[in-house]
Amino acid sequence: MSRFFSKKYSGLVPYTPGEQPKERKYIKLNTNESPFPPSELAQKMAAEAAKRLMLYPDPDCRELTATLSELIGVSSDEIVWTNGSDDVLNFAFMAFCDDEQPAIFPDITYGFYSVFAEANRIPYEMIPLNEDFTIPLDVFKQKKGTVFIANPNAPTGIALTVKEIEELLQSDPDRVVVIDEAYVDFGAESCIPLIRQYDNLLVTQTFSKSRSMAGARLGFAVGSKDLIADLHTIRYATNPYNINSMTMAAGIGVLQDEAYTWKNCVSIIENRGFASEELKKMGFEMTPSMANFIFVKHPEISGEALYTSLKEKGILVRYFNKPRISEYCRITIGSREEMNELLKQIQIVLEELL
Amino acid sequence: MSRFFSKKYSGLVPYTPGEQPKERKYIKLNTNESPFPPSELAQKMAAEAAKRLMLYPDPDCRELTATLSELIGVSSDEIVWTNGSDDVLNFAFMAFCDDEQPAIFPDITYGFYSVFAEANRIPYEMIPLNEDFTIPLDVFKQKKGTVFIANPNAPTGIALTVKEIEELLQSDPDRVVVIDEAYVDFGAESCIPLIRQYDNLLVTQTFSKSRSMAGARLGFAVGSKDLIADLHTIRYATNPYNINSMTMAAGIGVLQDEAYTWKNCVSIIENRGFASEELKKMGFEMTPSMANFIFVKHPEISGEALYTSLKEKGILVRYFNKPRISEYCRITIGSREEMNELLKQIQIVLEELL
């Protein structure tokens, strides 16, 4: 820290992303990336856009917005684009939280929520998940404050139903509920159809998971025109050209190639079922995941031991050294070949450690 | 504005970027873009990166950092990358300004500085430029607060010397001086060599102008390790994966193709001299610009009339409806063909309006 750093950030602890090691080739099952390459159309359109990089991108993202608008049936003024969905979540903390309207979210969820709150100096409360890692909706309904819920939740993969979220929206129409649907395409239900009915609902999604574009940084939020206008105000007051031309083009390409995305989602869902069943046979327990990862523990091996042993064997998974979940590992669902290799190596780990 | 928008932003007026019209093909001389396509190596490397978009980008930008580090002779922990240089300027307002340390900058400069201050609720003072649009350095030296100076300044194009900036750095070693060198490659002197001598100096640059990559969104700051560490803290607390893989690859490509960049800069400098001389012959006055634009006025035609007449003729220039500069237009220096067309159309405008 420099002697010039503003005191307002003196206690700020940044987010720690999953490892991106360069020193060795790993099977990467630690950051919930897709095992499938990006859509060929997306690749081609990005390469075309690279030829015209001397011009600024369209700050209104008109073509990308029109493409999504047609696909998901919301109007263009109900959409805002950001540099990954982290950015739109940060904007939502900025726009809809303050000293009078604190942020509330589960104690076990996407680790960035508390960092966003700290970075924006917003008071926040973390509501403990139930023992089975489900979200205690009744507690959320009774609390005052802007709600942030990942659905499915991370790192558990457990999803709420749209009906449950609707009840949460109704419990206090005077506060915003942000539903972070980063992982929704792997079997959970999206709340997007509710945005016209509830002006307090903001839904965020990302192109990093089901659309194989983590490297492109593209996220969006949909909500009522007024909520979206607020996020545009923040965007135009910080970085109006936040989406680069290549990402914008790739985004249009992948949206025009929906069949490819859905084929990949079906593979992930199948591989999740396969890996889960095999791991259960080996004695693992897990939460019922609707995401592209599973959250597993073995009654006789610590989460850290599993993480470390697999890393030695060339497989990266995510281990969180945190209360309540330190016995678990979060494992991204990859291709069938990757899952077979994972199962093979876990079998070896079990033989070594038990 | 929604009923949920935090009161802290109720008065926030976003930045207005230059027009990016779609309805008609214009000669675009309004947003200081390069007339030259991006480096072919940059294009090729971006297209290659598009094939691997399913993986997150390297949040530490190690390869890009190493490439720049070698080129400009600073070490890797003296560099931070952002999604365009707007982003690193915003980070600098966040990190180095607060109620005790207000921001100070010229009244006529990049219009985003006051927006960054407002967005971060930072007190700021705008110091009036001298009558000839030079920066009153003595006033800055006597004021307390974090200084933001564009060098060359926009929209005037007037540059300070490194010696003048050094005196400013010495005037108060306990405050940060941010030198925004977006336009430095067109003839002004960079302060980068001073960063080891002055731990209160932060220099920002962009790939949007001399490197023909406005569409890619790539900017950086260099400064002492401690200043850069502070900016990394902000980056990791808001958006650690802020540089997408394609932009990172294009950035490496263009840095490996320096001869192309410098050839283009020489062309712009030549075209600036040519267009300036021709416009002077037509009666225009202008500031001595060291940037890729000129700031011109005609004694008998208002800035607005020139802007409007040129737009009708298919040429976009930038007009600022602001006190002190409303008689001027800012005209980007393009290719020789574009300058010839500009001069031809201005000649017609003069005949029509005089």
Side-chain angles (χ1 to χ4, degrees):
Chain A
M1 195 192 301
S2 82
R3 61 197 177 96
F4 305 103
F5 201 31
S6 173
K7 283 179 200 71
K8 63 184 183 273
Y9 297 123
S10 57
L12 187 58
V13 178
Y15 179 72
T16 309
E19 299 163 88
Q20 301 284 1
K22 293 263 177 194
E23 75 280 8
R24 175 177 168 181
K25 181 99 183 120
Y26 286 97
I27 295 182
K28 274 193 90 260
L29 305 177
N30 67 328
T31 52
N32 300 338
E33 291 151 325
S34 170
F36 306 111
S39 145
E40 283 186 19
L41 184 58
Q43 291 179 43
K44 200 180 134 206
M45 289 176 71
E48 273 302 305
K51 298 178 186 167
R52 299 182 304 275
L53 285 183
M54 65 284 201
L55 300 179
Y56 277 98
D58 173 12
D60 297 322
C61 306
R62 280 168 283 192
E63 201 180 338
L64 178 60
T65 303
T67 311
L68 181 68
S69 167
E70 197 176 307
L71 193 70
I72 66 173
V74 306
S75 75
S76 58
D77 50 8
E78 294 167 331
I79 299 171
V80 62
W81 295 96
T82 55
N83 188 32
S85 63
D86 284 344
D87 231 24
V88 80
L89 289 164
N90 188 30
F91 287 3
F93 274 88
M94 293 169 77
F96 308 124
C97 302
D98 53 30
D99 289 344
E100 280 82 53
Q101 195 71 357
I104 54 178
F105 43 84
D107 65 338
I108 297 169
T109 188
Y110 184 33
F112 222 136
Y113 297 161
S114 58
V115 181
F116 290 136
E118 299 273 357
N120 292 297
R121 287 162 297 141
I122 288 161
Y124 63 97
E125 188 179 354
M126 298 199 285
I127 311 293
L129 291 186
N130 297 322
E131 273 308 303
D132 63 356
F133 292 150
T134 55
I135 290 175
L137 276 175
D138 285 343
V139 182
F140 277 92
K141 287 177 192 170
Q142 285 151 26
K143 293 271 176 189
K144 184 176 148 51
T146 300
V147 174
F148 290 81
I149 286 181
N151 191 50
N153 196 17
T156 64
I158 299 173
L160 295 169
T161 65
V162 166
K163 190 166 168 295
E164 287 171 312
I165 291 168
E166 207 167 351
E167 286 165 13
L168 179 62
L169 287 161
Q170 289 164 348
S171 70
D172 180 359
D174 293 325
R175 54 105 170 264
V176 174
V177 173
V178 179
I179 303 295
D180 171 357
E181 296 189 346
Y183 299 105
V184 78
D185 291 337
F186 303 103
E189 264 181 300
S190 173
C191 288
I192 288 179
L194 299 184
I195 62 159
R196 298 233 170 120
Q197 209 173 334
Y198 298 97
D199 75 344
N200 60 331
L201 169 63
L202 189 79
V203 182
T204 67
Q205 289 197 6
T206 177
F207 280 43
S208 295
K209 311 298 176 184
S210 58
R211 300 191 191 278
S212 296
M213 277 175 48
R217 318 309 303 126
L218 189 60
F220 67 91
V222 298
S224 73
K225 286 177 200 187
D226 287 350
L227 285 186
I228 295 300
D230 296 342
L231 297 172
H232 276 298
T233 298
I234 303 278
R235 191 171 76 84
Y236 270 92
T238 52
N239 200 352
Y241 295 111
N242 62 338
I243 310 296
N244 76 85
S245 310
M246 296 176 288
T247 293
M248 221 181 288
I252 295 165
V254 73
L255 290 175
Q256 290 175 349
D257 199 4
E258 274 291 275
Y260 179 72
T261 296
W262 291 114
K263 180 169 76 70
N264 292 341
C265 288
V266 168
S267 294
I268 295 297
I269 292 168
E270 285 172 359
N271 294 347
R272 182 178 67 207
F274 165 71
S276 299
E277 286 312 307
E278 294 300 315
L279 287 168
K280 280 178 192 164
K281 289 178 198 163
M282 296 182 198
F284 281 89
E285 298 165 18
M286 64 198 68
T287 52
S289 173
M290 298 295 257
N292 69 338
F293 54 81
I294 49 178
F295 196 52
V296 307
K297 72 168 178 180
H298 194 282
E300 293 166 79
I301 299 170
S302 74
E304 188 169 13
L306 181 64
Y307 158 76
T308 308
S309 305
L310 284 174
K311 187 169 180 182
E312 282 163 9
K313 292 173 168 41
I315 298 180
L316 280 182
V317 300
R318 189 91 193 250
Y319 164 68
F320 301 91
N321 189 9
K322 280 186 178 174
R324 299 186 68 190
I325 57 171
S326 62
E327 292 309 299
Y328 283 81
C329 280
R330 191 194 68 188
I331 304 177
T332 302
I333 301 299
S335 65
R336 187 57 70 104
E337 295 68 35
E338 287 171 332
M339 294 299 95
N340 280 327
E341 180 65 17
L342 169 78
L343 294 166
K344 185 177 139 195
Q345 295 302 333
I346 286 184
Q347 188 64 56
I348 296 171
V349 171
L350 291 181
E351 283 158 17
E352 285 170 1
L353 296 183
L354 291 184
Chain B
M1 195 192 300
S2 82
R3 61 196 178 97
F4 305 103
F5 200 33
S6 173
K7 283 179 199 71
K8 64 184 182 274
Y9 296 124
S10 57
L12 187 57
V13 178
Y15 178 72
T16 310
E19 299 163 88
Q20 301 284 2
K22 293 263 176 194
E23 76 280 8
R24 175 177 167 178
K25 182 97 184 121
Y26 286 96
I27 295 182
K28 272 192 92 263
L29 304 177
N30 67 328
T31 52
N32 300 338
E33 291 151 325
S34 171
F36 307 111
S39 145
E40 282 186 20
L41 185 59
Q43 291 179 42
K44 199 178 137 209
M45 290 176 71
E48 272 304 305
K51 297 177 185 168
R52 299 182 305 275
L53 285 184
M54 65 284 201
L55 300 179
Y56 277 97
D58 174 11
D60 297 323
C61 305
R62 280 168 283 192
E63 200 180 337
L64 178 59
T65 303
T67 311
L68 181 68
S69 166
E70 198 176 306
L71 193 70
I72 65 173
V74 307
S75 75
S76 59
D77 50 8
E78 294 166 331
I79 298 171
V80 62
W81 295 96
T82 54
N83 187 31
S85 64
D86 284 343
D87 231 24
V88 80
L89 289 165
N90 188 31
F91 287 3
F93 273 87
M94 293 168 76
F96 307 125
C97 302
D98 53 30
D99 289 344
E100 280 83 54
Q101 195 70 359
I104 53 178
F105 44 84
D107 64 338
I108 297 169
T109 189
Y110 185 33
F112 222 136
Y113 296 161
S114 58
V115 180
F116 289 136
E118 298 274 356
N120 292 297
R121 288 163 295 142
I122 288 161
Y124 63 97
E125 188 178 355
M126 298 198 286
I127 311 293
L129 291 186
N130 298 321
E131 273 306 305
D132 63 356
F133 293 149
T134 56
I135 290 174
L137 277 175
D138 285 344
V139 181
F140 277 92
K141 286 177 192 168
Q142 285 152 25
K143 293 272 174 189
K144 184 176 147 53
T146 300
V147 175
F148 290 81
I149 286 181
N151 191 49
N153 196 17
T156 65
I158 299 173
L160 295 169
T161 65
V162 166
K163 190 165 168 295
E164 286 171 313
I165 290 168
E166 208 168 350
E167 286 166 13
L168 178 62
L169 288 160
Q170 289 164 348
S171 70
D172 180 0
D174 292 327
R175 55 107 170 263
V176 174
V177 173
V178 179
I179 303 295
D180 171 356
E181 296 189 346
Y183 299 106
V184 78
D185 291 336
F186 303 104
E189 264 181 300
S190 173
C191 288
I192 288 178
L194 299 184
I195 62 160
R196 297 232 170 119
Q197 210 173 333
Y198 298 97
D199 75 344
N200 59 332
L201 170 63
L202 189 78
V203 182
T204 67
Q205 289 196 6
T206 176
F207 281 42
S208 297
K209 311 298 177 185
S210 58
R211 299 190 193 279
S212 297
M213 276 175 49
R217 317 309 303 128
L218 189 60
F220 66 91
V222 299
S224 73
K225 287 177 201 186
D226 287 350
L227 285 186
I228 295 300
D230 297 342
L231 297 172
H232 276 297
T233 299
I234 302 278
R235 191 171 77 85
Y236 270 92
T238 52
N239 201 352
Y241 295 112
N242 61 339
I243 311 295
N244 75 86
S245 309
M246 296 176 288
T247 292
M248 220 180 290
I252 294 164
V254 72
L255 290 175
Q256 289 174 349
D257 199 3
E258 273 291 274
Y260 178 72
T261 296
W262 292 115
K263 179 169 77 69
N264 292 341
C265 288
V266 168
S267 294
I268 295 297
I269 292 167
E270 286 171 357
N271 294 348
R272 182 177 68 205
F274 165 70
S276 300
E277 286 313 307
E278 295 299 315
L279 287 169
K280 280 179 194 164
K281 288 180 199 163
M282 296 183 199
F284 281 88
E285 298 165 19
M286 64 199 68
T287 52
S289 173
M290 298 296 258
N292 70 338
F293 54 81
I294 48 178
F295 197 52
V296 308
K297 73 168 178 180
H298 194 281
E300 293 165 80
I301 299 170
S302 75
E304 189 170 12
L306 181 63
Y307 159 75
T308 308
S309 305
L310 284 173
K311 188 169 179 182
E312 282 164 11
K313 293 174 169 38
I315 299 180
L316 278 182
V317 300
R318 189 93 193 250
Y319 164 68
F320 301 90
N321 189 9
K322 278 187 178 175
R324 297 186 69 189
I325 58 171
S326 63
E327 292 308 300
Y328 283 81
C329 280
R330 191 193 70 187
I331 304 176
T332 303
I333 301 299
S335 66
R336 186 57 69 104
E337 296 68 35
E338 288 171 332
M339 293 298 97
N340 280 327
E341 180 64 17
L342 170 77
L343 294 166
K344 185 177 136 193
Q345 295 301 333
I346 287 185
Q347 188 64 56
I348 296 171
V349 170
L350 292 181
E351 283 158 19
E352 284 172 1
L353 297 183
L354 292 184

